[in-house]
Amino acid sequence: MKRRHLLFAAALPFQVTEGEHLRLTGRVLGWTILRDRAPSREAPETGMVLIRVQRPVPPASRPGHLAAMLRAFRPFHFAGFPAEESVELANLPGTAIETRAMGIGSRQALTVRAVCLYGRERSYLLIASAPEADWAVLRPDVLRVMEGFRPR
């Protein structure tokens, strides 16, 4: 399936690439949402990517910032976190965590990959999740969506 870039309205200061499995479905409470194109109707959880623009994070506050954000993220419960890995996307430094979680509403085991990108004027939080059984299929698409993210 052909991937395409989506340029959002002026109110959103980024562009993101849809994937083979993930498509833009809208915005809710400041989150831009991409969801699995063909979810099972009976699935309590489906693959998704959430993106949110946030205030800038000063360099001194960056170590541990992503894990703290995930601890406070209500849709998931995490037993613990691996060390944050350094990443660079869209020419921005960032940190990433990939770990297991439980969906609070579904109580289903999930895999979550979260990335926080640190810009001078704002930071960007990208959180992807999928049921553990679907992660191997969706992970390459999740990585393409995250690598296609571009601030404007």
Side-chain angles (χ1 to χ4, degrees):
M1 178 171 278
K2 182 180 175 186
R3 286 179 288 146
R4 60 186 171 146
H5 285 345
L6 298 171
L7 204 53
F8 294 106
L12 291 179
F14 60 84
Q15 123 187 5
V16 67
T17 304
E18 285 188 324
E20 180 180 339
H21 299 283
L22 297 163
R23 67 176 174 82
L24 177 70
T25 59
R27 292 192 68 220
V28 176
L29 301 173
W31 292 95
T32 298
I33 304 166
L34 291 94
R35 287 206 175 268
D36 192 341
R37 289 182 187 274
S40 166
R41 289 191 182 271
E42 59 277 346
E45 296 277 354
T46 62
M48 69 176 172
V49 175
L50 304 170
I51 303 170
R52 186 169 188 141
V53 179
Q54 300 183 314
R55 291 184 302 225
V57 178
S61 299
R62 293 175 185 174
H65 174 76
L66 181 55
M69 295 292 295
L70 289 175
R71 269 187 216 96
F73 194 62
R74 291 186 206 158
F76 305 127
H77 171 73
F78 298 93
F81 295 103
E84 295 177 351
E85 63 182 272
S86 294
V87 296
E88 184 175 309
L89 293 174
N91 294 319
L92 292 174
T95 52
I97 292 175
E98 190 167 314
T99 191
R100 295 183 64 201
M102 181 182 63
I104 293 298
S106 69
R107 304 197 55 77
Q108 185 174 9
L110 305 168
T111 300
V112 174
R113 179 165 183 85
V115 175
C116 190
L117 299 174
Y118 305 112
R120 282 187 323 171
E121 296 179 17
R122 45 180 68 97
S123 63
Y124 303 92
L125 183 59
L126 295 84
I127 300 175
S129 68
E132 284 188 335
D134 300 339
W135 186 250
V137 171
L138 289 175
R139 188 177 191 274
D141 218 28
V142 162
L143 295 176
R144 277 191 297 273
V145 167
M146 289 182 168
E147 289 165 4
F149 174 85
R150 297 287 179 268
R152 290 202 277 173

